Amino acid sequence: MGNSNTEQAEQARAAASLQWKSSPKPSDRESWIQRAKEVANILKIDAVERDAALKSPFAELQLLKDAGLVNLLGPRKSGGGGETWQTSYKVTTEIAKADGSIAHLLGNHYSWFWSSQILGTPEQAERWLREFTEGNYYLGGAVNPRNADMTAVEDGEDLVFNGDKFFSTGGVISDVTVLEGVLENGTHVFAYVHTKNPGISFKGDWDVIGQRLTESGGCVIRNVRVPWSEAAGFSEKQLTPRDAYHDFVLPPVQLQFAAVHLGVAQGALEAAAEYARTKTRAWPYGGDNKAKATEEWYILEGFGRLQAKVWAAEALIDLRGEVAVQVAASKAQIIETALETTSKIFELIGARSSLSIYGFDRFWRNTRVHSLHDPVAYKFREVGSWSLLGDVPEPSWYT
């Protein structure tokens, strides 16, 4: 009997890591996308087993680090990839084809990584970019706009953070945790804190039907002290003026999430197509019987419709979100396409595909759970208000 999928994945990770360490980093966009495909191929090996085991993805995070994907947006002079947000979306999508949870972790990290450049003073931004890149740090965030706010109380030259968040994506496996507290005057303050800080603990209560490996459980912050000099965007204890660039933190975040859904839909369609070619049997009672399932008109038509919708969704995300309403349209349409695709594939590839050993259900579970955090109906309302009334979306934590 050959090695189990888990053993094969371990061996593949080890071999790939050695290869990447002995060769130069990718130097252009297409090379980075190819590197992401290499990572995705490894993640595919035991994706079903890992999803079932609900095991913290330390090994998978190390794979992302070894591949150079964690510091993709960091400057090359500090050991990063020197790449753009547009490349990061493509990388996230490629990873999501294999594993929506790991792609969610990566896309979430890109958002927090670059938030330091938006929230920090110029001096802080330059220092954090260098430190995060050189350290190959993975960032998680104890920030949730729908949760009761964490407090940040001044104590001399320090701020003391206290609070309880009911989810903190990537927290357990992170190197740095982003904290958000509210000062007595109502001002919000962010800080980047090493996760090993003894005042940061995690509840380990993330047990859901989808996105099971995102480590999005609760986080408890108790008396975490942060020097005022580490309060993002503050100088002499005062929040420095922000320019228009700071208003663009949310659209890129939303497009990272859209990239996850797009990848899940693409991955589901690719996996279903392979199953149809190799395992699905033709229906013998249709009156126009075919020798192969891939000759059945309704299967061909069904795959054709799903492929067209996925291509349309991909075209939407490539709008690059130049305005918030386009981002809303992109995300909403991609979510609906992903939900339809991940459900419809079962009709096209047959009853046996529902067996747990194939894990096709994980595609639907992942996109279903992830999409609930930002209701699609409100995204379509934003698009409708713009289309009908010319109203642009009000800035918010989700816009």
Side-chain angles (χ1 to χ4, degrees), residues 329-354:
S330 299
K331 185 179 181 184
Q333 186 61 45
I334 288 167
I335 287 173
E336 291 211 335
T337 297
L339 288 172
E340 179 182 0
T341 300
T342 55
S343 176
K344 182 73 174 180
I345 57 174
F346 288 99
E347 296 179 30
L348 303 178
I349 57 181
R352 285 191 301 168
S353 68
S354 63

Short mmCIF file of all heavy atoms in Angstrom, two decimals, residues 329-354:
data_model
loop_
_atom_site.label_atom_id
_atom_site.label_comp_id
_atom_site.label_asym_id
_atom_site.label_seq_id
_atom_site.Cartn_x
_atom_site.Cartn_y
_atom_site.Cartn_z
N ALA A 329 -20.20 45.07 -6.41
CA ALA A 329 -20.75 44.25 -7.48
C ALA A 329 -19.90 43.02 -7.71
O ALA A 329 -20.40 41.91 -7.90
CB ALA A 329 -20.86 45.07 -8.77
N SER A 330 -18.58 43.21 -7.71
CA SER A 330 -17.68 42.09 -7.92
C SER A 330 -17.87 41.03 -6.86
O SER A 330 -18.03 39.84 -7.17
CB SER A 330 -16.22 42.59 -7.91
OG SER A 330 -15.98 43.52 -8.93
N LYS A 331 -17.84 41.45 -5.61
CA LYS A 331 -17.92 40.48 -4.52
C LYS A 331 -19.27 39.76 -4.51
O LYS A 331 -19.33 38.54 -4.37
CB LYS A 331 -17.68 41.17 -3.18
CG LYS A 331 -17.62 40.20 -2.01
CD LYS A 331 -17.35 40.92 -0.70
CE LYS A 331 -17.29 39.92 0.44
NZ LYS A 331 -17.11 40.58 1.75
N ALA A 332 -20.35 40.52 -4.68
CA ALA A 332 -21.68 39.92 -4.62
C ALA A 332 -21.88 38.91 -5.75
O ALA A 332 -22.39 37.80 -5.54
CB ALA A 332 -22.76 41.01 -4.70
N GLN A 333 -21.50 39.29 -6.97
CA GLN A 333 -21.69 38.39 -8.11
C GLN A 333 -20.82 37.15 -7.98
O GLN A 333 -21.24 36.03 -8.29
CB GLN A 333 -21.37 39.12 -9.41
CG GLN A 333 -21.67 38.31 -10.66
CD GLN A 333 -23.15 37.94 -10.76
OE1 GLN A 333 -24.02 38.78 -10.53
NE2 GLN A 333 -23.44 36.70 -11.09
N ILE A 334 -19.59 37.33 -7.49
CA ILE A 334 -18.69 36.19 -7.34
C ILE A 334 -19.21 35.23 -6.29
O ILE A 334 -19.15 34.00 -6.46
CB ILE A 334 -17.27 36.69 -7.01
CG1 ILE A 334 -16.65 37.34 -8.26
CG2 ILE A 334 -16.38 35.54 -6.52
CD1 ILE A 334 -15.40 38.13 -7.98
N ILE A 335 -19.74 35.75 -5.19
CA ILE A 335 -20.30 34.88 -4.14
C ILE A 335 -21.45 34.06 -4.70
O ILE A 335 -21.54 32.84 -4.49
CB ILE A 335 -20.74 35.71 -2.92
CG1 ILE A 335 -19.52 36.20 -2.14
CG2 ILE A 335 -21.65 34.88 -2.01
CD1 ILE A 335 -19.85 37.15 -1.02
N GLU A 336 -22.38 34.70 -5.42
CA GLU A 336 -23.52 33.97 -5.95
C GLU A 336 -23.07 32.92 -6.98
O GLU A 336 -23.61 31.82 -7.03
CB GLU A 336 -24.52 34.95 -6.57
CG GLU A 336 -25.23 35.82 -5.54
CD GLU A 336 -26.63 36.21 -5.96
OE1 GLU A 336 -26.90 36.24 -7.17
OE2 GLU A 336 -27.45 36.47 -5.05
N THR A 337 -22.09 33.28 -7.78
CA THR A 337 -21.56 32.32 -8.75
C THR A 337 -20.91 31.14 -8.04
O THR A 337 -21.09 29.98 -8.43
CB THR A 337 -20.53 33.01 -9.67
OG1 THR A 337 -21.19 34.03 -10.44
CG2 THR A 337 -19.89 32.01 -10.62
N ALA A 338 -20.15 31.43 -6.99
CA ALA A 338 -19.49 30.37 -6.24
C ALA A 338 -20.50 29.45 -5.57
O ALA A 338 -20.35 28.21 -5.59
CB ALA A 338 -18.55 30.97 -5.19
N LEU A 339 -21.55 30.02 -5.00
CA LEU A 339 -22.58 29.20 -4.35
C LEU A 339 -23.29 28.31 -5.36
O LEU A 339 -23.55 27.13 -5.11
CB LEU A 339 -23.58 30.09 -3.61
CG LEU A 339 -23.07 30.76 -2.33
CD1 LEU A 339 -24.11 31.77 -1.83
CD2 LEU A 339 -22.79 29.72 -1.26
N GLU A 340 -23.62 28.88 -6.51
CA GLU A 340 -24.30 28.08 -7.54
C GLU A 340 -23.38 26.99 -8.07
O GLU A 340 -23.78 25.83 -8.21
CB GLU A 340 -24.75 28.97 -8.69
CG GLU A 340 -25.44 28.17 -9.80
CD GLU A 340 -25.86 29.02 -10.99
OE1 GLU A 340 -25.61 30.25 -10.97
OE2 GLU A 340 -26.43 28.46 -11.94
N THR A 341 -22.13 27.35 -8.34
CA THR A 341 -21.19 26.38 -8.90
C THR A 341 -20.93 25.23 -7.94
O THR A 341 -20.96 24.06 -8.34
CB THR A 341 -19.85 27.08 -9.24
OG1 THR A 341 -20.09 28.12 -10.21
CG2 THR A 341 -18.85 26.09 -9.80
N THR A 342 -20.68 25.55 -6.68
CA THR A 342 -20.32 24.52 -5.71
C THR A 342 -21.50 23.62 -5.35
O THR A 342 -21.31 22.53 -4.82
CB THR A 342 -19.76 25.16 -4.42
OG1 THR A 342 -20.69 26.12 -3.90
CG2 THR A 342 -18.43 25.87 -4.72
N SER A 343 -22.71 24.05 -5.66
CA SER A 343 -23.89 23.20 -5.46
C SER A 343 -24.26 22.43 -6.73
O SER A 343 -24.54 21.24 -6.69
CB SER A 343 -25.08 24.06 -5.01
OG SER A 343 -26.25 23.30 -4.90
N LYS A 344 -24.23 23.12 -7.87
CA LYS A 344 -24.66 22.54 -9.13
C LYS A 344 -23.77 21.37 -9.58
O LYS A 344 -24.25 20.45 -10.25
CB LYS A 344 -24.64 23.63 -10.20
CG LYS A 344 -25.12 23.19 -11.58
CD LYS A 344 -26.62 23.00 -11.62
CE LYS A 344 -27.10 22.71 -13.04
NZ LYS A 344 -28.57 22.51 -13.10
N ILE A 345 -22.49 21.41 -9.21
CA ILE A 345 -21.59 20.35 -9.68
C ILE A 345 -22.08 18.96 -9.28
O ILE A 345 -21.86 17.99 -10.00
CB ILE A 345 -20.14 20.56 -9.16
CG1 ILE A 345 -20.10 20.65 -7.64
CG2 ILE A 345 -19.50 21.75 -9.83
CD1 ILE A 345 -18.69 20.71 -7.08
N PHE A 346 -22.79 18.83 -8.16
CA PHE A 346 -23.28 17.53 -7.73
C PHE A 346 -24.28 16.96 -8.74
O PHE A 346 -24.32 15.76 -8.98
CB PHE A 346 -23.93 17.61 -6.35
CG PHE A 346 -22.94 17.80 -5.24
CD1 PHE A 346 -22.70 19.05 -4.71
CD2 PHE A 346 -22.22 16.73 -4.72
CE1 PHE A 346 -21.78 19.24 -3.68
CE2 PHE A 346 -21.31 16.89 -3.70
CZ PHE A 346 -21.08 18.15 -3.18
N GLU A 347 -25.10 17.83 -9.32
CA GLU A 347 -26.07 17.38 -10.30
C GLU A 347 -25.37 16.87 -11.57
O GLU A 347 -25.89 16.01 -12.27
CB GLU A 347 -27.01 18.52 -10.68
CG GLU A 347 -27.87 19.03 -9.54
CD GLU A 347 -28.76 20.18 -9.99
OE1 GLU A 347 -29.14 20.20 -11.18
OE2 GLU A 347 -29.04 21.07 -9.16
N LEU A 348 -24.21 17.41 -11.85
CA LEU A 348 -23.52 17.09 -13.09
C LEU A 348 -22.62 15.87 -12.98
O LEU A 348 -22.33 15.23 -14.00
CB LEU A 348 -22.69 18.30 -13.55
CG LEU A 348 -23.47 19.60 -13.76
CD1 LEU A 348 -22.52 20.71 -14.16
CD2 LEU A 348 -24.57 19.43 -14.80
N ILE A 349 -22.16 15.54 -11.79
CA ILE A 349 -21.19 14.45 -11.68
C ILE A 349 -21.74 13.22 -10.95
O ILE A 349 -21.06 12.20 -10.85
CB ILE A 349 -19.88 14.92 -11.02
CG1 ILE A 349 -20.12 15.53 -9.64
CG2 ILE A 349 -19.18 15.93 -11.92
CD1 ILE A 349 -18.84 16.03 -8.97
N GLY A 350 -22.96 13.29 -10.43
CA GLY A 350 -23.62 12.08 -9.96
C GLY A 350 -23.58 11.81 -8.47
O GLY A 350 -22.85 12.44 -7.71
N ALA A 351 -24.35 10.82 -8.08
CA ALA A 351 -24.59 10.53 -6.67
C ALA A 351 -23.34 10.12 -5.91
O ALA A 351 -23.14 10.49 -4.76
CB ALA A 351 -25.66 9.44 -6.54
N ARG A 352 -22.47 9.35 -6.55
CA ARG A 352 -21.28 8.88 -5.84
C ARG A 352 -20.35 10.02 -5.45
O ARG A 352 -19.54 9.89 -4.52
CB ARG A 352 -20.52 7.87 -6.70
CG ARG A 352 -21.17 6.49 -6.78
CD ARG A 352 -20.22 5.49 -7.42
NE ARG A 352 -19.84 5.91 -8.78
CZ ARG A 352 -18.87 5.36 -9.49
NH1 ARG A 352 -18.13 4.39 -8.96
NH2 ARG A 352 -18.60 5.78 -10.72
N SER A 353 -20.46 11.14 -6.13
CA SER A 353 -19.60 12.27 -5.81
C SER A 353 -19.90 12.85 -4.43
O SER A 353 -19.12 13.64 -3.89
CB SER A 353 -19.74 13.37 -6.86
OG SER A 353 -21.02 13.97 -6.81
N SER A 354 -21.05 12.46 -3.85
CA SER A 354 -21.40 12.97 -2.53
C SER A 354 -20.74 12.19 -1.40
O SER A 354 -20.88 12.55 -0.23
CB SER A 354 -22.93 12.93 -2.34
OG SER A 354 -23.41 11.59 -2.39
#
